[in-house]
């Protein structure tokens, strides 16, 4: 297998891992009685440790000077990037399901387009307008199934899911200056660990009691290990082989993976017009990614 095919396969597997972790979160909410507060606290704490261990194994330098020179930027990224993105995503899954929460969060590039247009003081071009229309119509169909008098998912779920998209924008934009100075992986690991420790303390996680069994252990491993170490490992390795533009397009298989795995495992399904809405949002995402590759 040549480098391009190998890299494509790795990025594709990374997207599946991320989609699988969302469905594992849905399973935990439905079957094990945990909520997003507990899950996100555990995920961020252990995911941060795993990411830093990954850096050690790969001999990636963890530059602790970041605490001396850029502590405020790291804290802003930890709380308004990592924590906001992760909490609203998993809370969105708790309120709806993994497929809906994932595809709505993946509308983040559309918001980034709008931010860039504002920064550049220009109107969106035809490519961007079509993508925006697809996402807008898709979101309407996904949330109403064509009946505009009522929502198929709750208003709260819809708001939280779109907040997760805003969180994903913050996650992408906030660490830009840090990533120019430090390696992105240690920055991500440190930010996850900081957010995880603070969220564990805030939620007083030691006061929660729940039945810990093999199913819960495996589902948590799916969220923390598969959705973090494996997903980032596959994606970053594939990224080095095929480049950021192609990797971004291929990794957009995550919402589709979440929908298929959710249907096969938890029997979570979308109604007919919701499926069309899902497809429109995916089209808008792909148009955005294709424009990014072209540029």
């Amino acid at each position: 297998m040549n480098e391009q095919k190998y890299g494509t396969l790795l990025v594709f597997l990374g997207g599946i891992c991320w989609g699988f972790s969302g469905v594992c979160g849905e399973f935990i909410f439905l079957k094990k009685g945990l909520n997003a507060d507990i899950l996100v606290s555990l995920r961020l704490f252990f995911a941060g440790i795993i990411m830093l261990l990954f850096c050690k194994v790969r001999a990636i330098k963890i530059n602790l000077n970041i605490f001396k020179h850029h502590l405020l930027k790291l804290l802003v990224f930890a709380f308004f990037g990592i924590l906001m993105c992760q909490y609203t995503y998993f809370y969105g899954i708790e309120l709806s399901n993994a497929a809906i929460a994932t595809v709505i969060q993946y509308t983040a590039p559309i918001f980034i387009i709008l931010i860039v247009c504002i920064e550049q003081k220009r109107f969106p071009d035809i490519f961007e307008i079509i993508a925006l229309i697809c996402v807008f119509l898709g979101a309407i169909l996904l949330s109403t199934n064509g009946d505009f008098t009522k929502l198929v998912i709750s208003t709260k779920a819809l708001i939280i899911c779109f907040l997760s998209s805003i969180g994903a924008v913050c996650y992408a934009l906030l660490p830009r200056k840090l990533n120019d100075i430090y390696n992105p992986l240690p920055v991500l690991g440190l930010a996850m660990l900081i957010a995880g420790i603070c969220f564990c303390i805030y939620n007083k996680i030691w006061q929660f009691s729940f039945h810990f069994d093999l199913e819960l252990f495996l589902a948590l491993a799916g969220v923390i290990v598969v959705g973090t170490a494996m997903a980032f490992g596959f994606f970053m390795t594939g990224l080095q082989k095929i480049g950021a533009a192609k990797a971004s397009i291929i990794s957009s298989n995550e919402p589709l993976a979440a929908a298929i795995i959710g249907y096969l495992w938890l029997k979570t399904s979308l109604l007919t017009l919701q499926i069309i809405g899902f497809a429109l949002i995916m089209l808008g995402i792909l148009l955005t990614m294709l424009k990014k590759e072209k540029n």
Side-chain angles (χ1 to χ4, degrees), residues 127 249 285-295:
F127 217 84
I249 294 169
I285 293 166
L286 289 173
L287 286 172
T288 305
M289 298 298 187
L290 288 169
K291 177 179 171 59
K292 179 180 178 182
E293 184 184 46
K294 182 180 178 182
N295 290 339

Side-chain angles (χ1 to χ4, degrees), residues 87-150:
Y87 180 70
T88 52
Y89 172 62
F90 280 103
Y91 192 26
I93 292 176
E94 183 180 350
L95 295 174
S96 55
N97 60 58
I100 289 175
T102 305
V103 75
I104 291 179
Q105 188 184 68
Y106 254 70
T107 62
I110 306 299
F111 291 103
I112 293 175
I113 284 177
L114 294 176
I115 291 171
V116 169
C117 288
I118 292 171
E119 287 179 344
Q120 298 178 353
K121 298 179 180 178
R122 66 174 178 84
F123 288 103
D125 62 29
I126 187 63
F127 217 84
E128 294 163 338
I129 290 172
I130 293 173
L132 289 168
I133 291 172
C134 285
V135 169
F136 178 72
L137 293 177
I140 291 175
L141 291 177
L142 193 64
S143 58
T144 66
N145 192 43
D147 184 353
F148 305 116
T149 62
K150 62 180 180 181

Side-chain angles (χ1 to χ4, degrees), residues 228-273:
T228 304
M230 290 178 63
F232 277 103
F234 285 144
F235 180 80
M236 294 304 295
T237 305
L239 176 70
Q240 293 173 344
K241 298 180 182 298
I242 65 175
K246 288 183 179 179
S248 296
I249 294 169
I250 295 166
S251 67
S252 65
N253 70 323
E254 180 188 345
L256 188 58
I260 293 173
I261 296 170
Y263 175 75
L264 294 175
W265 180 9
L266 302 177
K267 307 303 178 186
T268 303
S269 60
L270 300 174
L271 300 173
T272 303
L273 290 179

Side-chain angles (χ1 to χ4, degrees), residues 108-218:
I110 306 299
F111 291 103
I112 293 175
I113 284 177
L114 294 176
I115 291 171
V116 169
C117 288
I118 292 171
E119 287 179 344
Q120 298 178 353
K121 298 179 180 178
R122 66 174 178 84
F123 288 103
D125 62 29
I126 187 63
F127 217 84
E128 294 163 338
I129 290 172
I130 293 173
L132 289 168
I133 291 172
C134 285
V135 169
F136 178 72
L137 293 177
I140 291 175
L141 291 177
L142 193 64
S143 58
T144 66
N145 192 43
D147 184 353
F148 305 116
T149 62
K150 62 180 180 181
L151 294 176
V152 178
I153 62 173
S154 69
T155 304
K156 184 177 182 180
L158 189 61
I159 292 172
I160 294 296
C161 287
F162 271 110
L163 282 177
S164 77
S165 182
I166 300 299
V169 173
C170 295
Y171 171 85
L173 298 182
L174 286 177
R176 287 182 294 179
K177 291 184 179 180
L178 289 175
N179 291 343
D180 288 339
I181 303 170
Y182 308 98
N183 189 297
L185 287 182
V187 171
L188 178 62
L190 290 170
M192 281 182 167
L193 186 58
I194 291 170
I197 291 172
C198 292
F199 209 44
C200 283
I201 294 172
Y202 174 78
N203 288 315
K204 299 179 181 178
I205 195 169
W206 56 87
Q207 294 183 353
F208 285 94
S209 60
F210 48 86
H211 178 64
F212 193 82
D213 56 15
L214 180 60
E215 283 187 341
L216 179 57
F217 173 79
L218 292 175

Side-chain angles (χ1 to χ4, degrees), residues 74-87:
L74 180 63
L75 292 177
V76 169
F77 175 49
F79 296 119
F80 294 98
I82 297 290
L83 182 56
M84 179 181 175
C85 178
Q86 291 292 312
Y87 180 70

